[in-house]
Amino acid sequence: MQPRRTDLRRSTIVTGLFLVALVAAGCGGSDDSTNDNATVETPPAPLDLTTTVPSFLPGLDGDVFRAPGQASDDDAFTYDEVVVPVGSAVHVESENEGGRTTVTFEVSGLAPERDLGVHVHTRPCGPNPADSGPHYQNNVDPAAAAQSPSTDSAYANPSNEVWLDITTDANGSAHSSATVDWKFREGEARSVVIHADRTKTASGEAGMAGNRLACIDEDF
C-alpha cells in the first residue's frame, strides 16, 4: 500500500527539525570554545611608568614663560619666542647649607639642541631685557658700571657668580646646577636670565653670553 501524502509531509518536517537542532547544537559548541579561549588569554603588560614620567612636569611647581606685559600669575618672561616659546616652562630652586649655596635650574619646551648661557642677575625682570641688571657677584668688580658690566675674569667667573649654562636635548629640555661657597646678600639677587650663547671665560669677555632671551623673577 502506498504511503499517504500527508504522512510523507509529516516525516519531512520532523527530519528537518532534527537537522536544525543538530546545527544549532554545533554552533553553540563553537561559541563556548571561543569564550573559553578568551578567558585564558594573556593580558597586555602594564606600562613602565618609570620610563614615561619626566623628572619635571611643567606647571607642577614651575613657571610658564609669557610675553612681557601679558597678564599672568607666572614670573617668567620671554623676549625671543623662537628659542623660548610662550608656554615653555622653567623651575628654579635655591638651597643654603653651611654657608654654601646651590642653585638648580630646569627648563622644558625650549628650542632643541641649543647651547644657552644662564646666570643669576641683580634686578627683577622687566619688559626690556636690560631691566634685570648685571650678573650678581659675590665680590663686586670695582671697575664695572651700569653701561659696562664686569668682563674681568678675576670677577666674572663661576666661583664669584652663579653660572647655570645648559644644552637643551631633542625635546628642548635641560637641567643644570651650580654650587658656590657663599650666600646671596639679601635683596641683591633678584632674577635668572637665559642668554643666547654659552658663557665666555677669557678675560675681557668673561661672563658674556650674547643677547638676553628670557628672564625669571627669583628672590634668592
Side-chain angles (χ1 to χ4, degrees):
M1 184 175 62
Q2 295 294 329
R4 289 183 302 173
R5 185 174 299 175
T6 301
D7 293 338
L8 287 173
R9 187 180 300 165
R10 188 175 297 157
S11 174
T12 301
I13 292 171
V14 171
T15 302
L17 291 173
F18 179 72
L19 290 174
V20 169
L22 285 177
V23 171
C27 291
S30 175
D31 287 343
D32 291 343
S33 173
T34 302
N35 290 339
D36 289 343
N37 288 339
T39 58
V40 296
E41 221 173 78
T42 304
L47 292 175
D48 183 359
L49 295 180
T50 59
T51 62
T52 58
V53 177
S55 61
F56 169 63
L57 298 176
L60 181 63
D61 57 357
D63 291 325
V64 175
F65 284 104
R66 305 291 183 189
Q70 188 175 24
S72 171
D73 292 333
D74 298 311
D75 296 318
F77 309 95
T78 177
Y79 308 112
D80 186 323
E81 296 183 26
V82 174
V83 181
V84 185
V86 168
S88 56
V90 61
H91 179 68
V92 180
E93 282 188 4
S94 178
E95 295 182 0
N96 299 316
E97 185 175 355
R100 293 161 59 87
T101 301
T102 297
V103 180
T104 302
F105 179 82
E106 195 163 9
V107 288
S108 175
L110 272 60
E113 299 175 348
R114 280 289 305 260
D115 289 334
L116 299 168
V118 183
H119 315 118
V120 173
H121 282 241
T122 60
R123 298 175 188 165
C125 307
N128 299 308
D131 290 341
S132 52
H135 296 179
Y136 179 92
Q137 294 184 328
N138 182 48
N139 296 311
V140 179
D141 183 352
Q147 301 303 319
S148 56
S150 177
T151 56
D152 183 345
S153 59
Y155 295 92
N157 62 67
S159 295
N160 194 47
E161 301 180 352
V162 175
W163 294 5
L164 296 155
D165 289 18
I166 57 172
T167 299
T168 59
D169 63 15
N171 297 316
S173 299
H175 172 279
S176 64
S177 180
T179 300
V180 289
D181 291 324
W182 39 264
K183 296 173 65 175
F184 292 112
R185 294 180 295 275
E186 187 174 356
E188 294 188 34
R190 301 295 303 278
S191 62
V192 176
V193 173
I194 301 176
H195 294 259
D197 306 307
R198 186 165 289 278
T199 309
K200 296 178 173 60
T201 58
S203 193
E205 61 177 8
M208 297 178 65
N211 292 336
R212 303 182 188 195
L213 306 183
C215 184
I216 306 98
D217 278 329
E218 192 71 29
D219 197 359
F220 291 100

